[in-house]
Amino acid sequence: MSLSTVFDPELIRRYDGVGPRYTSYPTAPHFNNRFGAPELVKAIKESNEDPIPRSLSLYAHIPFCFSPCFYCGCNRIITRDADKKQAYLETLLKEIRLLAPLFDRDREVVQLHLGGGTPNSLTGAQLSELMAEFRRNFHFAPERERDFSIEIDPRTVDAADIGTLREIGFNRVSLGIQDFDPQVQQAINRLQDTDRIRTILDACRRHGFQSVNFDLIYGLPMQNTETFAATLDTVAGMRPDRIALYSYAHMPELFKAQNKINVVTLPDPERKLALFQLAVERLIGEGYVYIGMDHFALPSDELSRAQDSGDLHRNFMGYTTRKQTDLVGFGVSAISQIADCYAQNAKDLPTWTAHIESGRPATVKGLRTHADDRIRAEVIQAIMCQGRVDFAEFEQRFGIVFRDYFAAELDGLPALAEDGLLALEDRGLRVLPRGRLLLRVIAARFDAYLPKKPVQQIPLSKVL
Ligand code: SF4
């Protein structure tokens, strides 16, 4: 049974803040530079010796984009220089050949994702070469068990490209839509035609893609509830299988391109809350299931079914249906999660390239988790993915007495229970419909790295 969700503006106002999205625990800011290439190699060796071999998820970061979207906060390089992209691809292929032999050959690749930047800034031939290199060096699971996805900028593909992507092995796509309104698109420097997106979507369906995701953003310049309602009408008419609804965070001091946004055109926090409410209620009204954090899916989609069956998981790629995989990241800034370790590649192109060209993994920081991290990571996963924590399950798995081990954390929960975010029961805790849009607030109570403050003072999930 899907978990129900209630939008409570007062609670969202009260608990709003900025903070971890928990695609990992500990989160990336806690990685340290004492973890480098030797530690990554050791972690891979250890993971091969695990008595129950884990399958693999592969991620490759393609950092290039053709033009800057003004809202963007990604690690990307704006260029149309074909030589630069070819050089990057060649280094990426070397990285694959460098890391793949470290993994036992019988470990199957069940998941693969290309993110960016703009993965389709590479040509079809280049993407095909990349996939062929992965296939030569890793053992792909049978086709029906693969979850192979790519993020696409719809401005730079056509229906024929979609056919190529399917042929070279992708079965899921994510389209960056953000907003269909021309004035909003003008204000964010991302003009894209609705008919073109419809054509691409049709091509995805014709070519048998299992799922299509739309990325939307609320809080953008020039957005108001009328224009965003029209965007949601269009989205509802197209009915993508998944929708990611992100909040725009205006931080021009961190992301230079955002300086091009005229702040007076941004919706204020109350208007932004209204946009968020409009989108959540409309998507749920259209039959979408709220998965958690920013994600919605049709009930027939694998993500919704995984939520029902308790198989939903969260990692650096967001929500996934693949539990128990090791994630191997390729490319500039990519993060790996191998056994009990996290490893991150150099974030700048010259450093990443220099490492790979000299035959060394490009890991520049990471973390080996300790026992307490692993217990907390599982509690946070349970909150973010299943919306409940069963104390007995944790006691059995980790040999702890949950109420003793987490005495301080549990002491802080009655306030959240009184506000209707969760129910604290004898056997565990359960996220209530009013708490579903505030999962991070609940998860943060179990984060040992956050300063211990009363919950309303902890900087958390920025919605507004
Ligand atoms: S939003 Fe996407 S396409 Fe636009 S600049 Fe950022 S990474 Fe590139």
Side-chain angles (χ1 to χ4, degrees), residues 63-76 78 116-118 153 155 178 190:
F64 307 107
C65 297
F66 297 104
S67 64
C69 307
F70 293 160
Y71 59 83
C72 180
C74 298
N75 182 17
R76 86 286 192 270
I78 307 297
T118 304
D153 180 341
R155 294 171 298 174
Q178 326 316 353
R190 193 181 169 107

Side-chain angles (χ1 to χ4, degrees), residues 50 65 84-85 91 108 211 248 277 286 303 307 380:
D50 201 294
C65 297
K84 203 168 186 175
K85 292 178 198 173
T91 309
E108 286 189 333
S211 123
Y248 171 64
Q277 179 163 12
E286 289 290 336
L303 269 189
Q307 187 182 58
I380 289 171

Side-chain angles (χ1 to χ4, degrees), residues 97-159:
R97 293 194 289 270
L98 180 68
L99 293 184
L102 301 174
F103 291 90
D104 280 352
R105 185 70 189 181
D106 60 354
R107 297 180 68 179
E108 286 189 333
V109 175
V110 292
Q111 191 177 32
L112 184 149
H113 182 72
L114 299 195
T118 304
N120 64 298
S121 62
L122 297 186
T123 63
Q126 287 173 322
L127 289 171
S128 174
E129 202 179 344
L130 176 60
M131 290 299 277
E133 196 67 50
F134 274 132
R135 191 176 286 113
R136 265 194 296 276
N137 286 275
F138 286 98
H139 176 195
F140 281 11
E143 194 158 355
R144 64 182 181 285
E145 291 166 28
R146 292 181 207 159
D147 183 345
F148 285 9
S149 55
I150 180 167
E151 292 167 16
I152 289 181
D153 180 341
R155 294 171 298 174
T156 50
V157 286
D158 57 26

Side-chain angles (χ1 to χ4, degrees), residues 77-285:
I77 298 164
I78 307 297
T79 185
R80 289 177 185 259
D81 182 341
D83 291 345
K84 203 168 186 175
K85 292 178 198 173
Q86 181 60 28
Y88 184 81
L89 173 66
E90 284 166 19
T91 309
L92 202 52
L93 302 182
K94 283 183 191 159
E95 189 177 27
I96 295 170
R97 293 194 289 270
L98 180 68
L99 293 184
L102 301 174
F103 291 90
D104 280 352
R105 185 70 189 181
D106 60 354
R107 297 180 68 179
E108 286 189 333
V109 175
V110 292
Q111 191 177 32
L112 184 149
H113 182 72
L114 299 195
T118 304
N120 64 298
S121 62
L122 297 186
T123 63
Q126 287 173 322
L127 289 171
S128 174
E129 202 179 344
L130 176 60
M131 290 299 277
E133 196 67 50
F134 274 132
R135 191 176 286 113
R136 265 194 296 276
N137 286 275
F138 286 98
H139 176 195
F140 281 11
E143 194 158 355
R144 64 182 181 285
E145 291 166 28
R146 292 181 207 159
D147 183 345
F148 285 9
S149 55
I150 180 167
E151 292 167 16
I152 289 181
D153 180 341
R155 294 171 298 174
T156 50
V157 286
D158 57 26
D161 295 328
I162 296 296
T164 306
L165 293 174
R166 185 72 191 97
E167 266 167 37
I168 62 180
F170 294 102
N171 54 18
R172 297 180 190 278
V173 291
S174 179
L175 302 177
I177 305 291
Q178 326 316 353
D179 194 306
F180 281 111
D181 184 77
Q183 271 190 304
V184 175
Q185 292 184 358
Q186 185 81 46
I188 59 175
N189 197 35
R190 193 181 169 107
L191 290 170
Q192 47 193 16
D193 181 60
T194 304
D195 285 341
R196 183 188 185 95
I197 287 162
R198 206 168 269 123
T199 305
I200 293 166
L201 182 63
D202 289 346
C204 291
R205 293 195 168 130
R206 220 175 33 253
H207 288 288
F209 278 83
Q210 287 169 23
S211 123
V212 178
N213 175 77
F214 277 10
D215 281 351
L216 303 177
I217 304 181
Y218 66 93
L220 290 173
M222 306 301 291
Q223 256 177 355
N224 60 49
T225 45
E226 269 168 45
T227 62
F228 205 45
T231 282
L232 292 166
D233 284 344
T234 309
V235 171
M238 294 187 184
R239 215 159 169 77
D241 307 272
R242 299 179 185 180
I243 293 169
L245 175 71
Y246 297 111
S247 164
Y248 171 64
H250 191 64
M251 294 187 283
E253 60 293 348
L254 285 183
F255 307 113
K256 262 199 229 148
Q258 294 186 355
N259 283 298
K260 303 262 187 181
I261 288 178
N262 181 352
V263 283
V264 303
T265 62
L266 287 170
D268 64 23
E270 276 308 303
R271 290 200 176 103
K272 198 173 169 193
L273 181 64
L275 290 166
F276 184 43
Q277 179 163 12
L278 176 76
V280 169
E281 292 181 346
R282 178 71 195 266
L283 295 178
I284 291 174

Side-chain angles (χ1 to χ4, degrees), residues 7-16 270 273 277 438:
F7 194 102
D8 186 326
E10 184 42 42
L11 281 183
I12 291 171
R13 257 185 224 110
R14 196 174 329 152
Y15 285 102
D16 189 39
E270 276 308 303
L273 181 64
Q277 179 163 12
L438 292 162

